[in-house]
């Protein structure tokens, strides 16, 4: 996991029992291109990773949250034009490298999915997890409500050091 993962998890440790970054029983990460099709790739990556960890039964909730976090990063956090559909960026394509990254980390009693993006803006603007008739009727803008409803907790923090941007994470407690 390295230093970046340890730094990324620092705010997650606040208010929770101590987490030793060296005690991670599994971690996986993938870079995502600036295309909306990347959401499907993130779900596929999540499915295969959870299957390797024997957590198939958690796929539906975790995949929903991963989908929302990745969609938000692609829609709101990438500089310049909105993500494209169709052929993608990648080595040899002459396009910039992926700037959104999905991290999955597992301990014996918890699973964290985190999405790193280049924006330092707060996710969801002034998101408050309080539902009103007005915001429930909107087609978009419900992503963080879903993250809040399906995960045990979530949060975000700006990156420090050489890395710029932020990490938005969601925690799932694992019960035997």
């Amino acid at each position: 996991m390295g230093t970046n993962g340890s730094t990324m998890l620092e705010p997650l440790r606040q208010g929770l029992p101590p987490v030793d970054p060296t005690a991670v029983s599994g971690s996986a990460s993938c870079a995502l291109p600036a295309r909306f099709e990347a959401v499907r790739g993130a779900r596929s990556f999540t499915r295969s990773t959870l299957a390797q960890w024997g957590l198939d039964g958690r796929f539906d909730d975790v995949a929903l949250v991963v989908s929302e976090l990745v969609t938000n990063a692609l829609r709101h956090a990438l500089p310049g034009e909105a993500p494209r559909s169709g052929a993608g960026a990648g080595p040899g394509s002459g396009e910039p490298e992926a700037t959104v990254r999905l991290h999955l980390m597992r301990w014996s009693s918890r699973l964290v999915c985190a999405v790193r993006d280049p924006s330092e803006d707060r996710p969801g603007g002034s998101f408050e997890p309080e539902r009103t008739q007005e915001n429930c009727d909107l087609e978009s803008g419900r992503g963080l409500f879903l993250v809040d409803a399906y995960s045990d907790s979530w949060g975000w923090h700006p990156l420090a050091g050489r890395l710029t941007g932020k990490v938005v994470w969601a925690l799932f407690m694992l019960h035997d």
Side-chain angles (χ1 to χ4, degrees), residues 16-150:
L16 293 173
V19 174
D20 177 4
T22 63
V24 171
S25 61
S27 68
S29 173
C30 72
L32 301 169
R35 299 188 325 260
F36 285 119
E37 289 84 2
V39 177
R40 181 179 38 206
R43 282 193 305 265
S44 176
F45 174 79
T46 300
R47 179 182 298 281
S48 64
T49 301
L50 293 182
Q52 289 174 358
W53 293 342
L55 297 174
D56 302 85
R58 297 304 306 262
F59 173 73
D60 291 338
D61 291 349
V62 174
L64 175 76
V65 168
V66 163
S67 296
E68 293 300 332
L69 294 180
V70 170
T71 297
N72 284 348
L74 292 171
R75 183 172 288 152
H76 302 293
L78 294 179
E81 294 181 23
R84 300 172 323 281
S85 293
S93 69
E95 297 181 34
E97 275 187 43
T99 53
V100 173
R101 188 159 199 90
L102 169 61
H103 302 270
L104 299 173
M105 293 151 285
R106 180 184 193 268
W107 289 263
S108 60
S109 64
R110 63 187 81 166
L111 171 71
V112 172
C113 59
V115 174
R116 185 177 78 196
D117 68 54
S119 172
E120 294 178 0
D121 294 339
R122 174 187 185 103
S126 60
F127 170 77
E128 295 293 332
E130 215 176 278
R131 292 181 181 261
T132 66
Q133 185 60 41
E134 290 171 11
N135 65 24
C136 284
D137 291 339
L138 295 174
E139 261 314 296
S140 66
R142 290 187 267 182
L144 292 177
F145 286 115
L146 292 172
V147 170
D148 187 58
Y150 283 86

Side-chain angles (χ1 to χ4, degrees), residues 1-14 16 19-22 24 26-27 103-107 110-114 157 159 167 169-171:
M1 184 156 87
T3 309
N4 292 346
S6 180
T7 302
M8 182 177 73
L9 293 176
E10 189 59 40
L12 179 57
R13 293 186 194 125
Q14 298 169 8
L16 293 173
V19 174
D20 177 4
T22 63
V24 171
S27 68
H103 302 270
L104 299 173
M105 293 151 285
R106 180 184 193 268
W107 289 263
R110 63 187 81 166
L111 171 71
V112 172
C113 59
H157 63 90
L159 295 171
V167 171
W169 54 264
L171 170 73

